[in-house]
Amino acid sequence: MPADAVPPVVLGGWVPVRHKADELVILRRNPYYWKTDEAGNQLPYLNEMHFKLSTWSDRTTQAVAGTADFSNMENPGNFVEALKQTLSADAPVKANFGPRVLSWRLELNFSETNGVQDEVDAELRKFFRQKDFRVALSHALDRQAIGQSVARGPFMYPYSGGFSSGSPYYDYDSTVYYPYDLVKANAMLDALGIKDTDGNGIRNMPGTGADLEIDMMTDRRQVTEKKQADAIILMLAEAGIRVLIRNVDTIDTASKNGDFNMLIRRKEWALPTRETCFHLPIANSCPDRHLPGSDGTRNLMDFEVEMVEAYQTILSTWDAVEAAEAAKTIQRLWTENAYTIGTVQAPAALLVNKRIRNAHPGTPVNMFEWAEDGVVRERLWTPKDQQLKELLPGTIAEY
């Protein structure tokens, strides 16, 4: 570090000493970190850490191969092969699976004005706001088949919406599940007056007479979403609904202005007070699927108001039982009204090199934060005979 450079001020266990943009960050142990272990030894134990820019799939590949020490494995398409590799006695890495906290869902846009381009969009939004339409879509989805299209085996499980089943706030009795029932889905759509009036196999909307076509935004980078989208297109086609794919680079960014009718993405919810703006209309800036119009107003549905009230109860109470009951209310209202249409959910795994000690196997991969923040990194250590050479030997964190 040049003598005239001002070092970064940190309170954490490591100080960045080398940063190559979009490539590499090297961190050095902070000698002034405020924590010690129970014997009074200075934390953190590890002297050097580094992070490389990679992709979800590549970081799993690197960890399984032993060329990386730590990775969240959250792409179900990699699960089977990664498990085969890690079960070998000489595998350099072990996989610690947690509860089912990864969940995928279809989101419909409930705004009556925001992102509405024409009369067809306007009529779509009216149907989106009708519970029977949303329930019909749910009945049209064979979630078992969707799960198997992503990863063979027991990894994928049907998801109703709301809290993931791995959440401590999930309650089975408060969860309403609308299973695959194509006959019921067709009957419900017929009852709404959405019928195939021109005989082309696609239902027509009664107001405009247009084919029932729904654009679905997907993230082109995510293979799991792509596989699900392919299955959903076929399933909704059997119910007389045509789905038109709209690929984007980053769905969380592309959806922020609410300019979409439907999208599919992974958006788990484990704790009611974490990233709540992705899930409930607790502010004018969220969620993406129900933003205010240009005049700043929006017409919340009654059950949305009730869910926000339940959330406010969780924020205001010190009573754990009262908070849990409020979470049950959110789960019941969410799933009963098919607020989002859940597809599947899956566990994630923490891949840790066997050299690393003190990575507790019971740490949830994504509950309060992702696993690298949940395992208490400053207590990780490696036996001396298994330590690797440092990338910057002799470098210290300067102040």
Side-chain angles (χ1 to χ4, degrees), residues 314-376:
I314 294 172
L315 288 183
S316 62
T317 185
W318 290 99
D319 186 332
V321 174
E322 185 179 15
E325 289 300 317
K328 290 179 183 179
T329 297
I330 293 174
Q331 182 71 1
R332 176 182 57 80
L333 290 169
W334 188 302
T335 56
E336 183 180 81
N337 289 281
Y339 190 40
T340 58
I341 301 165
T343 58
V344 290
Q345 54 188 334
L350 175 60
L351 299 176
V352 185
N353 196 291
K354 293 178 181 177
R355 300 182 304 105
I356 307 298
R357 304 291 193 268
N358 266 0
H360 195 280
T363 303
V365 174
N366 179 19
M367 188 69 68
F368 302 97
E369 260 310 334
W370 284 102
E372 62 269 23
D373 292 317
V375 296
V376 192

Side-chain angles (χ1 to χ4, degrees), residues 13 265 284:
R265 64 177 154 193
N284 284 336

